[in-house]
Amino acid sequence: MNISAEKKWKKFHARLVGTLVHLDEPQVVLLDHGFDAKIIGVAIDKYGYDYPFLGAEISFTQLQRYHREFVDLRYLFLMPKWKKWYIFDLGKMDAAGSIPLRIASQADYTNEEHLPAAGFFARNHTHALDVDPIEASQKQTYLIDGSWSPTDLSTFFGKINDLYSFFLGLKKFTSPNATIEQQRKLIDAFTEHALRGGSSYVSFYTDLKNLLGIDERLAMGGIKKESPGYVTIEGRGEILEELIQAFTIYNKNLNGIRELYKDLHSYLSKMGLLKAGPDFYGISLASTEQIRRYSSKISELLEIDYELIELLTHQHPLLSAKILLSHCRRLEKYTLFFTEGRVKLPPKS
Amino acid sequence: MSDIQTPADEFTESLPPACPPDEAVRANYENAWRYVDSNPPGEADFRSHAFLSNKNPPPGVTLCEWSSCSLFLSHNKSYHLLPKPKKKYRFIARLRITDQCGYTQSNGKHVHFWRFKNASPIVLEVAPL
């Protein structure tokens, strides 16, 4: 059963994909209405119908966001992408699986008795579809303790998100399934920013995050803000694993990485290159080679493929160096929470 | 069904052929939850749609499932956020189901329950929704 069906259905007919919630009878169902058009339906009471439903026509991205719990069910009915609502009767499905649709009146789709209340999320589904719209994400829990301000939580999650986007970007670039277009966009993210300071680094990581699909993005799962408590993040399992590995590697080579960071940073500062952008061509060959040496050594200690970074920056040694330095700063900030004793990983079960 | 054949008239409702299905079992649940409309829950709160209406089941629901009632394996009031349950049910009952109560088929979250005649789940607690 292909949820992302590209077949065009007749305008006022849709195909039942499956039941998402069953409580004595189907309460929430999903219909397919053609390319990028799904209809999410909730059972309602309506005279003259056997099994009446109110349906809202949403996009595939909205369905993915709903499944990742970025939005609740009510949101899909208030803000369906295609701004169409239907009344349909599940009992009128024909032998071919086609269900006739009737455009819902405003009185129908704004009637609070027909709408789900706020707070119903996809985790409450009683049944899974044969094919889920997203790959199941994995979870990683961090045990937290001590005092945490809202800024601390934001910083911690922010650094994890930056590192996650970075590792996922590298992985996607080298994936055999990567299209030319995807690789080009990743190269753009690595080369379009001047990386002269502060906000341009933020823009670099923001661009990386924006290249991720809804099903790949990091999400904060549970949080228990107590001492001790926990924070759970959800994302691609292999990348979450890589994050943990990066932390282990960073700790293992901490002194060497910090020393090289200091040397590279000082060198760029001395040469007036910290504020120089990718369009700066006044770097001597000797300086270029020196920068490459530092970057290559840092990459080795971080166990990151330096040649891959160079590939993504079009062999620009200054850009490659700055990206590696920003990566180190994020690892350092992430690691600091562990050093402070406020975060630890749960024991391996 | 399990290796013990249960005569059809041992069930509180008349069931279709081959119902409960082979995968259904007689199991014990220390806690299971049912949405009900009365406190304490009465007979009507455990009736299936097959019993309550003359309608055929909707697509995607077998006649056997239509002849069951729904239980949940966790205390989840969220279904009361949905339009029809919001109108239909006023309470959530916590039950103890024993293997003397009937047959069940569970997917880990939702349970189809086919009740034996003269058998009632033990009602542990009833809370308003």
Side-chain angles (χ1 to χ4, degrees), chain A residues 315-333:
Chain A
Q315 316 291 334
H316 198 300
L318 182 58
L319 268 183
S320 300
K322 289 184 172 185
I323 284 168
L324 283 168
L325 289 177
S326 79
H327 181 70
C328 284
R329 285 195 291 276
R330 275 145 182 84
L331 270 174
E332 178 73 30
K333 286 215 167 96

Side-chain angles (χ1 to χ4, degrees), chain A residues 24 51 117 123-126, chain B residues 56 70 76 79 81 89 107 109:
Chain A
D24 291 341
Y51 302 110
R123 64 177 173 269
N124 296 310
H125 290 174
T126 57
Chain B
N56 285 326
S70 290
N76 190 346
Y79 303 112
L81 300 171
Y89 306 103
N107 69 0
K109 267 185 160 179

